[in-house]
């Protein structure tokens, strides 16, 4: 058994053993949905380069900024126990998960401005470079389309300790194991609209990042009146991040033809910070409806580095996995049922 499942299993056994003598437990479940705005790493395969050897990379060009709205779904199930590890208040064991994803297409056309500068790209093995040439050529205009897919989700198993200050105020400390996953997929096509031979290239890439770690947090709820309450939550997670890259570059009409396949792996650490604000209305003794908002920042998300500013072809820097940040903002509705 790997260390991650072993840790989760031990955590559950500890809680279950401690609370096994409690005869009564109340449970609750909720489901929420809404819209998530995701700001993921930029896509910078293309560059403005020098037009003569050594074709230095002058400036990387962003053709997809990684920003879009995604549909969001989530939910949780929890158990409220009469007792507590600390001897006061209630304890809750809660399992939760979420998922958000989007697909978008970005088209960018490059036109060669004349002598001195070209727009281009490099094969994944860094042995050949391609791009625009002088305006009189059939290759003076280069059209690119990038189709991007992002899937972002996660699971938490958290132990909550509630502290009720009075009938209107309650604070909670919580912590436990946490898993998150970020998938980024790219399909890029390059063509020359003025070229009768229809030469071009395709680049198919995926970046898969698994986050394994844990989080701790504090939350508070304040009753505004008999029906309405306000909830505030903040947490921090620390993860080991493993990113796997798989890329395939095909340019069948180049000399020599290219069909490059490259796989890379990077291990890193990641820190997540998250804040939630919710306004809840109690519909009856068992049903609650909440307007939810959430902001999360991850300080590590995989991003491909296709070369430094001064790299050359074929003697430039090699393909590598770099890092950027990911920011997500969510607004939605939640339905909660207690039994």
């Amino acid at each position: 058994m790997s260390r991650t499942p072993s840790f989760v299993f031990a955590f559950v056994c500890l809680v279950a053993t401690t609370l096994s003598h409690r005869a009564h437990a109340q449970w609750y479940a909720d489901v929420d949905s809404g819209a998530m705005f995701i700001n993921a790493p930029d896509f910078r395969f293309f560059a403005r380069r020098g037009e003569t050897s050594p074709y230095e990379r002058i400036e990387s060009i962003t053709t997809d900024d990684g920003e879009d709205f995604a549909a969001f779904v989530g939910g949780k199930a929890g158990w409220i126990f009469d007792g507590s590890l600390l001897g006061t208040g209630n304890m809750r064991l809660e399992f939760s998960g979420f998922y958000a994803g989007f697909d978008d297409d970005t088209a960018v056309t490059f036109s060669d401005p004349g002598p001195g500068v070209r727009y281009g790209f490099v094969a994944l093995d860094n042995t050949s470079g391609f791009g625009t040439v002088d305006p009189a050529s059939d290759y003076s205009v280069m059209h690119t389309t990038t189709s991007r897919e992002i899937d972002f989700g996660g699971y938490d198993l958290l132990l909550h300790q509630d502290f009720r200050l009075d009938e209107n105020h309650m604070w909670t400390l919580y912590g436990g194991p946490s898993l998150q996953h970020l998938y980024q997929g790219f399909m890029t096509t390059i063509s020359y609209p003025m070229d009768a031979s229809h030469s071009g290239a395709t680049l198919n890439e995926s970046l898969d990042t698994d986050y394994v770690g844990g989080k701790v947090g504090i939350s508070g709820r304040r009753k505004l009146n008999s029906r309405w309450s306000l909830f505030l939550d903040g947490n921090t997670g620390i993860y080991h991040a493993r990113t796997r890259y798989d890329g395939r570059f095909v340019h069948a009409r180049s000399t020599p033809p290219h069909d490059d396949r490259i796989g890379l792996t990077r291990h890193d650490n990641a820190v997540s910070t998250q804040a939630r604000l919710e306004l809840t209305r109690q519909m009856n003794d068992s049903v609650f409806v909440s307007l939810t908002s959430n902001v999360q920042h991850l300080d590590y998300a995989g991003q491909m580095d296709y070369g430094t500013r001064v790299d050359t072809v074929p003697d430039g820097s090699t393909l590598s996995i770099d890092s950027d940040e990911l920011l997500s903002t969510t607004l939605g509705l939640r339905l909660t049922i207690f039994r």
Side-chain angles (χ1 to χ4, degrees), residues 149-153 180-186 205-211 240-247 264-267 300-304 321:
E149 175 187 355
I150 285 186
D151 297 304
F152 182 41
Q180 296 194 65
H181 180 77
L182 174 64
Y183 171 81
Q184 303 176 77
F186 306 88
E205 301 173 289
S206 65
L207 273 169
D208 254 317
T209 303
D210 291 310
Y211 302 87
H240 171 76
R242 178 185 182 274
T243 300
R244 170 68 183 177
Y245 169 81
D246 289 294
L264 301 171
T265 301
R266 171 172 174 160
H267 294 267
Y300 170 82
Q303 180 185 42
M304 293 312 297
I321 302 175

Side-chain angles (χ1 to χ4, degrees), residues 12 30 52 104 154 158 188 270:
V12 174
D30 68 39
T52 58
D104 67 5
L158 303 176
T188 304

Side-chain angles (χ1 to χ4, degrees), residues 58-81:
I58 299 172
E59 178 187 14
S60 295
I61 298 174
T62 298
T63 54
D64 186 302
D65 60 13
E67 298 180 358
D68 211 335
F69 286 93
F72 166 86
V73 293
K76 68 170 69 80
W79 294 264
I80 306 172
F81 298 92

Side-chain angles (χ1 to χ4, degrees), residues 44-251:
R44 296 182 173 182
F45 178 60
F46 301 97
R48 186 164 64 92
R49 313 187 72 98
E51 195 169 33
T52 58
S53 181
Y55 308 106
E56 72 276 10
R57 191 182 189 100
I58 299 172
E59 178 187 14
S60 295
I61 298 174
T62 298
T63 54
D64 186 302
D65 60 13
E67 298 180 358
D68 211 335
F69 286 93
F72 166 86
V73 293
K76 68 170 69 80
W79 294 264
I80 306 172
F81 298 92
D82 290 338
S84 165
L85 291 175
L86 302 181
T88 181
N90 290 325
M91 178 159 287
R92 294 180 286 124
L93 181 62
E94 185 177 278
F95 176 77
S96 62
F98 77 93
Y99 167 80
F102 72 78
D103 299 272
D104 67 5
D105 298 304
T106 305
V108 176
T109 298
F110 300 97
S111 297
D112 196 292
V117 174
R118 73 186 309 193
Y119 297 103
F121 55 97
V122 180
L124 290 185
D125 63 3
N126 212 59
T127 60
S128 304
F130 313 90
T132 61
V133 293
D134 290 339
S137 168
D138 290 343
Y139 296 92
S140 62
V141 176
M142 182 175 68
H143 181 71
T144 71
T145 301
T146 300
S147 299
R148 180 172 193 163
E149 175 187 355
I150 285 186
D151 297 304
F152 182 41
Y155 301 97
D156 297 326
L157 181 62
L158 303 176
L159 189 62
H160 296 247
Q161 173 64 60
D162 297 328
F163 301 93
R164 185 171 293 279
L165 303 181
D166 54 46
E167 63 178 9
N168 294 321
H169 298 84
M170 184 175 72
W171 289 97
T172 301
L173 299 176
Y174 62 87
S178 177
L179 306 174
Q180 296 194 65
H181 180 77
L182 174 64
Y183 171 81
Q184 303 176 77
F186 306 88
M187 181 64 185
T188 304
T189 60
I190 304 111
S191 61
Y192 298 90
M194 299 172 61
D195 175 30
S197 66
H198 303 291
S199 64
T202 60
L203 175 64
N204 193 358
E205 301 173 289
S206 65
L207 273 169
D208 254 317
T209 303
D210 291 310
Y211 302 87
V212 180
K215 65 169 56 173
V216 294
I218 183 171
S219 65
R221 184 175 295 276
R222 182 183 188 278
K223 280 190 175 182
L224 303 177
N225 55 42
S226 61
R227 289 292 184 183
W228 293 91
S229 64
L230 194 64
F231 176 80
L232 181 64
D233 182 332
N235 63 67
T236 297
I238 299 177
Y239 301 88
H240 171 76
R242 178 185 182 274
T243 300
R244 170 68 183 177
Y245 169 81
D246 289 294
R248 182 184 182 187
F249 175 80
V250 178
H251 197 328

